[in-house]
Structures are given as C-alpha cells and as structure tokens.
Amino acid sequence: MTQGPISADILTAENEKRIGDLERDYRSLGERLSRRGVDIDAVTARVAGFSVAVPSWGVGTGGTRFARFPGPGEPRDIFDKLEDCAVIHQLTAATPTVSLHIPWDKVEDPGRLKAHGDALGLRFDAMNSNTFSDAPGQKLSYKYGSLSHTDAAVRRQAVEHNLECIEIGRALGSTALTVWIGDGSNFPGQSNFTRAFERYLSSMGEIYTALPEDWRLYTEHKMYEPAFYSTVIQDWGTNYLIARTLGPKAYCLVDLGHHAPNVNIEMIVARLIQFGKLGGFHFNDSKYGDDDLDAGAIDPYRLFLVFNELVDAERRGADGFRPAHMLDQSHNVTDPIESLMSSAGEVRRAYAQALIVDRAALEGHQAENDALMAAETLKRAFRTDVDPILAKARLDAGAAIDPVAAYRASRYREAVSARRPASAGGGGGIV
C-alpha cells in the first residue's frame, strides 16, 4: 500500500500490541473451521480481495432535516476529503476507491484531483449526479423535480448536468454513473404518474446514449423523501423496468436503507441477480427508513443474508454478476472516519460469514424441505466469530489489526482540526 497519512511507526506499534493474540485466535479458528471442511487461509484471501468504495460525502459530518452539528476538523473540500478517505484505506486495506458527488466535489482541474488521488493510493469509483438540490448559481430550480419535471428546460438542465458528470468521470478514470432523483409528489393529483415516468425515461435515455462503451449506469429507487405521497422510482420493480428499458449498460442499485421496514431485501437481490440487473449496493442500515446508519448497526443478520445471496451467485457463476459495492452513510454523533472504517469491516464480516456457509448441507436441507436445519445451517455461519480472519487480512495488507484503536492513537483528528477551520452548524436541511 502507498504510505498513508498515519505514521507507519504508530501503525506498527499498535499492531505489535495485538499480533500475538491474533496469531493464537487465528490458529484456533482455523482448527475449528477445518473440522467443518473450511480452509481459513482461502477464506482470508478472498476477504482480502473484497473492497468497498467510500463516498466522498461520508467523511463530513451529516445531519437530519432539523439540524447539523459539525465535528472538529471537517474536510473543507474534495482534497481534504480524499486525505480522510486515505486514512480509512490505510487502516482497513478495504477501501481503495472513492465515489464523488457533483457538483459538491467539482474542481477546476480534474487532472489535479486525479493526481492527488494517485498520490494517496486512491482510485475513483462511480460518479454521482445531484439534481435533488439546487446548486449555488443554478439557473433553474429542482424544487418540483428534475429529470421528470414538467418544464423541458429544467429537464434539459438536469440531463446536461449528468453529461458533465460523465465527462468529469472520464478524466478521473471512473467507469460508472449513479443517478438518484428525488422527483415525486407530496399531494394527490399534484403529478400525473404516467407522464412523469415517461418524461423520466426520455431524459434517462439521453444520458444512457452518452455513456462511454465501457461504462455502467446505476439507477436507485427510494420509497419516499423528499416526495412523501409518490416517488417516480419508488421500488425495485420500477427500477428493474428502467434498467430493462434503457439497455444492457443500465443496472439497478440497491441501497439497504431505501426500503420499508421488514422488506425482504435479500430476495430483491436474488431476483435482480437472476435477471441480470443487479448493479451494486449502497451499504448502510436503518431502523425505520432511510436512516443512513453504519452498515450492520441495526440488523447484521440481514446484511449476512444479502451476502449469502451474493456468495451463492458468485459460486455458481451467475451470468453478468459483477456488483459494485459502496458505503453510503451520514452521521451527526460519531467521527465519520471511525464509522466508515467500522462499516467497511462489517461488510467484509458479512462476506466472510457467507463464505463459510456449508453450501452442500444447505442445498440438501432445501431439497428435503427441512426448514429448521436449513435455517440452522445459515445461523451456524453467522454465529461464527470471523474477527481473526478480518484482522489477518488487514495485517497481511499492511493495515491495522484494530483500525479504530490505531486511528485514535494517531490523533489524526486533532492534527487536522488544527489546520482546518471549524465549520458552522446549521438547520433545516439534510446533508
């Protein structure tokens, strides 16, 4: 790995405190897994090869629709954001790519930004457009929609913004565009459902046509917010229709928070895999709705069940299976760097647990309709403490056995607070 912002001496010292215990724990887990026919080194290698992108906006302090309470040392611009993202990757070895949001991360010279990323050992993941809020100096407002707006001029502005995102992405080495819109209505009768969807598909068709040959287009559904009566892309079925209508480069993005409570997300994932339209994920967690909590913070078993479907598809070589993985979360009460490191670890944990599921036993119980033993087979993998696998994968990559402990020992937050001016708090808006 490229030398990161955290001193190598601090990282080494923190790892030396824990390496003896890790070696013992790893041997013990390896012996137990061996009795189940699982090669721990093979699992560790696959976990080490799994990465998840960090959202540039995730390293800033988020907020609610009521208020935002800024934290110390918040990044001032995308260059500061990349430095914080480099800390996450240095300590986890799990996040080598960063996903940008335009216009928030727009710069005069994309080449300079790419060089900064290269120097930090970071690459650029999917580009994200923003037509769900108005940018300073923007000519026309998205208050009543963007790609599905009744005014053709507003739709043209939104399309042009997405085309600009593609051009910026090409300069940075990205190969994907994610489009999420907040279009919808808050009152019955406010919008004609059919015409709004027709306008959206027409606008997206222009964006799709402009995609470079090797790019993918990800569309994202969301049940509500900011439109609380109807949303243009309200569920995975609508999202699937969009991907099918646009063409082979269009795929569905699944955000784990964009569902009603108790929705069977893992079955949605299975359906999208089956019909070749799973594009990837925004990993987070929620209790009531799109809460953007740390991945695995509320329902780690659900995260595991999602990865159970992914490993199943991976194992059987599902056609076109190449999902993108990204964290998408926002916080008022934690250090964003710590939360993103924790989430990266939880995503890898779910992957490791899914890798040790006894697939032959599971398929046998399913064939025999043995519901209890099928469920127990999954739970046996989920209950296995795979911490030694995660830590060994990090250590072998030159990262931290305990990322949060190493981060706190480095006092990185205090150091950047000294050179980054405090930002003001605010209210009345989601960040």
Side-chain angles (χ1 to χ4, degrees):
M1 288 178 60
T2 302
Q3 173 61 44
I6 304 299
S7 164
D9 291 341
I10 291 174
L11 186 51
T12 299
E14 287 297 308
N15 282 345
E16 286 178 349
K17 295 177 185 177
R18 299 170 175 84
I19 194 166
D21 287 342
L22 171 58
E23 290 173 348
R24 287 186 289 273
D25 292 345
Y26 190 78
R27 281 196 303 270
S28 175
L29 177 59
E31 291 170 0
R32 285 182 282 126
L33 290 178
S34 179
R35 293 196 294 270
R36 291 154 58 174
V38 176
D39 181 348
I40 190 173
D41 291 332
V43 173
T44 302
R46 291 178 71 177
V47 168
F50 183 94
S51 63
V52 58
V54 169
S56 64
W57 59 96
V59 292
T61 302
T64 69
R65 67 179 58 84
F66 304 108
R68 190 181 86 88
F69 303 95
E74 288 193 307
R76 299 160 294 184
D77 53 30
I78 183 55
F79 295 96
D80 284 352
K81 291 177 185 177
L82 287 186
E83 289 181 10
D84 289 356
C85 291
V87 171
I88 297 167
H89 184 49
Q90 181 187 6
L91 297 180
T92 66
T95 59
T97 56
V98 180
S99 194
L100 302 188
H101 225 309
I102 306 299
W104 297 337
D105 298 324
K106 186 177 178 180
V107 296
E108 292 291 328
D109 181 6
R112 178 180 166 227
L113 183 59
K114 186 176 186 304
H116 190 58
D118 290 342
L120 293 168
L122 298 172
R123 304 187 309 276
F124 293 94
D125 202 79
M127 303 296 294
N128 295 262
S129 60
N130 178 353
T131 62
F132 53 83
S133 65
D134 291 344
Q138 181 177 305
K139 183 178 179 181
L140 301 171
S141 176
Y142 297 131
K143 180 176 181 178
Y144 296 109
S146 58
L147 294 174
S148 71
H149 201 286
T150 54
D151 187 339
V154 176
R155 298 198 301 275
R156 169 50 46 194
Q157 177 180 271
V159 169
E160 292 295 335
H161 168 67
N162 278 278
L163 300 185
E164 180 187 37
C165 290
I166 293 173
E167 290 309 307
I168 295 171
R170 292 179 71 172
L172 295 174
S174 174
T175 57
L177 173 69
T178 298
V179 180
W180 175 76
I181 61 168
D183 294 24
S185 65
N186 283 285
F187 293 90
Q190 178 184 338
S191 174
N192 182 293
F193 300 146
T194 301
R195 290 173 187 164
F197 195 45
E198 287 173 346
R199 292 191 294 266
Y200 169 82
L201 288 173
S202 176
S203 299
M204 285 295 291
E206 293 187 58
I207 297 167
Y208 182 88
T209 299
L211 281 178
E213 193 58 37
D214 60 339
W215 274 51
R216 283 185 164 198
L217 178 64
Y218 300 134
T219 54
E220 188 176 356
H221 67 274
K222 188 172 185 178
M223 184 177 62
Y224 65 91
E225 195 181 52
F228 286 87
Y229 172 67
S230 70
T231 305
V232 171
I233 315 173
Q234 85 285 1
D235 59 26
W236 73 275
T238 300
N239 204 2
Y240 175 74
L241 289 173
I242 292 165
R244 283 292 302 271
T245 301
L246 292 178
K249 292 185 288 187
Y251 294 85
C252 303
L253 192 70
V254 177
D255 184 306
L256 267 63
H258 290 188
H259 305 268
N262 303 317
V263 165
N264 192 329
I265 301 174
E266 57 269 26
M267 190 172 75
I268 293 171
V269 170
R271 291 286 188 271
L272 293 175
I273 292 171
Q274 183 174 2
F275 292 97
K277 283 300 182 181
L278 177 67
F281 294 88
H282 280 181
F283 290 113
N284 50 42
D285 212 335
S286 67
K287 179 63 176 177
Y288 301 109
D290 184 24
D291 303 330
D292 274 346
L293 302 175
D294 290 11
I298 301 296
D299 194 348
Y301 192 55
R302 180 174 64 186
L303 183 61
F304 161 73
L305 292 175
V306 166
F307 270 93
N308 179 58
E309 297 301 327
L310 298 182
V311 169
D312 176 70
E314 187 179 88
R315 179 172 172 266
R316 58 186 164 81
D319 188 41
F321 181 71
R322 187 165 58 88
H325 305 107
M326 192 189 85
L327 302 175
D328 182 16
Q329 56 194 59
S330 183
H331 299 280
N332 239 337
V333 297
T334 63
D335 182 320
I337 290 177
E338 293 185 357
S339 273
L340 288 164
M341 290 193 298
S342 174
S343 290
E346 289 305 305
V347 170
R348 274 188 163 183
R349 180 189 308 281
Y351 182 49
Q353 290 167 327
L355 286 172
I356 63 175
V357 169
D358 187 336
R359 298 284 155 186
L362 179 62
E363 290 172 6
H365 297 318
Q366 290 170 340
E368 295 169 3
N369 295 309
D370 191 337
L372 179 68
M373 289 309 300
E376 285 298 316
T377 300
L378 289 181
K379 285 193 282 187
R380 185 184 189 194
F382 176 71
R383 287 192 295 253
T384 301
D385 181 3
V386 296
D387 269 340
I389 292 174
L390 308 182
K392 184 69 160 53
R394 290 192 294 265
L395 178 65
D396 289 349
I401 292 175
D402 185 333
V404 172
Y407 171 72
R408 293 190 175 190
S410 75
R411 303 185 69 83
Y412 174 83
R413 180 62 63 188
E414 289 87 339
V416 295
S417 296
R419 56 185 172 86
R420 296 178 184 173
S423 59
I430 299 172
V431 177

